Amino acid sequence: MTEGVPRRRPARESAARTYPRALPIVPVRARGLTVEGADGRRYLDCLSGAGTLALGHNHPVVLEAIRKVLDSGAPLNVPDLATPVEDAFVAELRRTLPPGLADHAHVRFCGPSASEAVETATALVRAATGRAPVVALTGADHGTPPADAGTADAGTAGAADRAADGGSPRDDRCPDRCPFGTAGTDGTEAAVRWTEATLASSSPAAVPAGMLVEPVHGECGVLPAPDGWMRATRRITAARGVPLIVDETLTGVGRTGTFWAVGHSGVTPDVMILSEAIGGSLPLAAVIHHDDLALPHPFAPAGPFRGNQLALAAGTATLAHVREHRLAERAATVGARMLSQLRELAGEFPCIGGARGRGLMIGVELVTASRAADARGVRDEAGTAVPAGALGPPPSPGADAHRTCPAASALAATVQRECLRRGLIVGLARRHPGVVRLLPPLTITDEQASAVLDRLADALTAAARAHPDGSGGSHGSGESDGSGESDGSDASNGPSRRPAHRPYGHDDRADNIDHTDRGDHTDRGDQTDRDDHTDRDDQVQRGDPADRAARSR
């Protein structure tokens, strides 16, 4: 039955599909980090349902919560009606909210997508303030809101995100991603001045109804906003009476190393947009707002699926498990270790322009290696260098043709394919496809994290052989246009050291671990994770020996 699935899909479904183009697998079983395809191959899944699976696939506490609702005979969808399941979710959610908001929070359920949550949040601040414009950042991905959402572009994303004060700017070979031509404290200050000038330039009649930000721009290349900029933005918006809306769709539920990513800066927003991981693998979205913005009447269409009891139960179980077992702290520890090792790996691969992120939200930017060492700053269309700190209009994120360190999106697509051949599922940033994204579940073990990095390193070795200059130029029928789509030919990727259909590392313990409760202990530190499987004598196969030999050379 499963053999013809990939063949039948194109004839039955729209061509507007993204993941199957880069990930031609048919998953039939999954547990924790591991996914098994219909052909018996196992994969380490660092896509995690596009970040929706905080606890990985089919975690026992999630399955138990879902079964409990099903067995109770309770209605499965009751929009806005009070139920014990909804009450438990709201109570658990309030326990996790940032100080300053938890005691004043109102929860507004909406349709289960991030787009509907953004629409609900913008409608809320417009109704509460009586104003219309909502300011957002260049390149942000707020759930693809409708065209009439009325958001205005503040143009600060590149500077605000790339000038991160939470990490060393020297970790990136390409500081020119900051549109102000600087980084670190200087970049943060430039971004703050830009933000202040943008809001101050508005006439009293045109004061925005709200400002919408992401703590980390995920689809734009995993760009963390600097804590200093977040705090300054909170001060600026508060002084002008502009509600601050923080979109935690991609960053919430422990993903970045704090339960909500605003915890890094200590900012208390007026509105929070929540989706994806809060449903515990099922569709769920909500808008949290301060009671100052509460309205006595409905203010936006909310959709009929805002009372999904299975999603609410799964979400309650997920929120409680992450909180009780301190998995956000675990994500911070493991993520910092992975980032450190990825930055060391950049010394072996000139095509790695930078490794960045927070917690277990990690991006590896691939660039044209032959030009990475020459990066000095932003250049205009004529090739003239823009002075550091210049406050001219910043280019849109991804406008790499005008930069000295262009992203190599085709190389990234090749790395993604080579990862899949080695049993590792990774994603590419949608708006910046030169960035390979790692979004493993918070339950990932130390052993599995090592296996992920080993397979990624092996994939980089193979891809670098196919793209010796890191440019990702045309070199065969297996070329990708950056979307990750390939015609299936591996002729350009060098000789394969493993048969195309043979499971990569099928004897790898990392593939076989029943690890759904790994990392659920408070004494995680440097403790070696242990395998509860019966095949304890199996050893982790750390990648392809030929790839390792090539790397050592």
Side-chain angles (χ1 to χ4, degrees):
M1 179 181 295
T2 60
E3 293 180 357
V5 171
R7 185 175 62 253
R8 290 192 294 268
R9 285 198 77 186
R12 296 178 175 182
E13 299 182 27
S14 166
R17 292 174 284 116
T18 53
Y19 292 121
R21 299 182 181 186
L23 305 171
I25 62 177
V26 180
V28 294
R29 277 177 293 277
R31 183 82 163 182
L33 183 69
T34 303
V35 171
E36 182 175 334
D39 59 357
R41 296 187 64 185
R42 295 191 183 97
Y43 304 85
L44 301 181
D45 182 9
C46 281
L47 189 60
S48 295
T52 62
L53 305 173
L55 302 182
H57 295 276
N58 294 323
H59 194 283
V61 300
V62 173
L63 297 182
E64 181 183 0
I66 292 173
R67 291 190 186 104
K68 186 175 180 180
V69 174
L70 291 173
D71 293 343
S72 71
L76 298 183
N77 187 48
V78 281
D80 291 341
L81 298 182
T83 68
V85 175
E86 181 190 72
D87 184 69
F89 177 86
V90 172
E92 182 57 43
L93 178 62
R94 289 173 67 96
R95 292 189 186 99
T96 71
L97 293 177
L101 182 59
D103 293 337
H104 304 279
H106 285 209
V107 180
R108 167 74 171 180
F109 291 103
C110 57
S113 71
S115 298
E116 290 165 295
V118 171
E119 184 180 3
T120 299
T122 55
L124 165 68
V125 295
R126 286 180 179 134
T129 64
R131 303 190 291 263
V134 174
V135 176
L137 301 186
T138 301
D141 185 75
H142 296 295
T144 316
D148 62 351
T151 55
D153 189 351
T156 62
D161 293 335
R162 226 359 137 90
D165 59 6
S168 170
R170 293 188 296 273
D171 292 329
D172 279 343
R173 285 194 177 92
C174 303
D176 60 325
R177 290 292 181 260
C178 172
F180 300 139
T182 184
T185 302
D186 291 342
T188 299
E189 292 176 353
V192 169
R193 293 196 302 271
W194 181 280
T195 303
E196 195 158 20
T198 298
L199 295 182
S201 64
S202 303
S203 66
V207 174
M211 184 167 181
L212 178 59
V213 303
E214 287 179 299
V216 181
H217 274 203
E219 296 293 355
C220 199
V222 191
L223 303 172
D227 295 337
W229 178 82
M230 288 288 291
R231 288 189 286 268
T233 297
R234 172 69 284 188
R235 172 180 54 79
I236 294 166
T237 54
R240 287 164 174 74
V242 177
L244 179 62
I245 309 167
V246 175
D247 188 346
E248 292 266 10
T249 295
L250 298 173
T251 55
V253 195
R255 169 63 57 191
T256 68
T258 58
F259 207 101
W260 307 107
V262 291
H264 293 288
S265 61
V267 164
T268 299
D270 299 296
V271 182
M272 290 175 63
I273 295 172
L274 311 181
S275 185
E276 297 199 354
I278 68 164
S281 75
L282 299 180
L284 184 65
V287 172
I288 315 302
H289 62 86
H290 196 282
D291 55 19
D292 288 345
L293 298 173
L295 297 171
H297 53 80
F299 56 84
F305 294 107
R306 60 189 183 275
N308 186 325
Q309 302 297 291
L310 296 181
L312 289 167
T316 303
T318 298
L319 295 174
H321 196 80
V322 172
R323 177 181 57 82
E324 292 168 358
H325 295 283
R326 304 178 64 182
L327 294 188
E329 290 91 331
R330 167 70 177 170
T333 300
V334 178
R337 188 182 305 130
M338 292 179 72
L339 267 178
S340 176
Q341 293 171 351
L342 285 168
R343 287 164 180 163
E344 291 178 4
L345 198 63
E348 301 180 35
F349 295 95
C351 61
I352 296 181
R356 56 182 177 264
R358 273 187 157 160
L360 290 174
M361 187 174 184
I362 297 172
V364 180
E365 182 171 0
L366 302 181
V367 298
T368 301
S370 60
R371 299 180 64 186
D374 298 329
R376 290 294 182 271
V378 180
R379 297 181 183 273
D380 59 21
E381 294 186 16
T384 304
V386 177
L391 293 182
S396 298
D400 298 310
H402 306 310
R403 293 170 177 178
T404 60
C405 197
S409 57
L411 174 61
T414 301
V415 169
Q416 185 183 37
R417 291 197 302 271
E418 292 294 339
C419 282
L420 192 66
R421 293 176 64 189
R422 287 156 175 77
L424 176 62
I425 298 174
V426 299
L428 302 182
R430 180 149 49 93
R431 294 176 182 266
H432 193 340
V435 174
V436 176
R437 292 201 301 168
L438 301 176
L439 299 170
L442 311 188
T443 53
I444 187 173
T445 67
D446 293 341
E447 183 177 47
Q448 291 168 336
S450 296
V452 166
L453 296 181
D454 286 336
R455 297 182 189 193
L456 177 60
D458 293 346
L460 282 164
T461 300
R465 285 198 294 266
H467 303 260
D469 64 349
S471 64
S474 179
H475 50 72
S477 60
E479 176 62 295
S480 166
D481 61 2
S483 67
E485 183 174 9
S486 169
D487 64 1
S489 171
D490 289 314
S492 64
N493 294 332
S496 172
R497 285 154 307 283
R498 289 179 181 272
H501 300 291
R502 177 184 171 186
Y504 182 87
H506 224 147
D507 57 345
D508 194 327
R509 289 173 65 208
D511 289 338
N512 292 293
I513 289 176
D514 179 5
H515 62 85
T516 50
D517 290 322
R518 294 307 73 144
D520 292 350
H521 310 289
T522 55
D523 55 341
R524 292 179 188 85
D526 296 326
Q527 176 181 340
T528 301
D529 292 295
R530 290 175 170 78
D531 184 0
D532 288 340
H533 237 242
T534 56
D535 52 346
R536 292 174 181 270
D537 295 332
D538 289 343
Q539 299 299 315
V540 174
Q541 184 171 327
R542 301 292 190 192
D544 193 307
D547 287 337
R548 293 199 303 274
R551 284 160 49 201
S552 65
R553 291 195 296 269

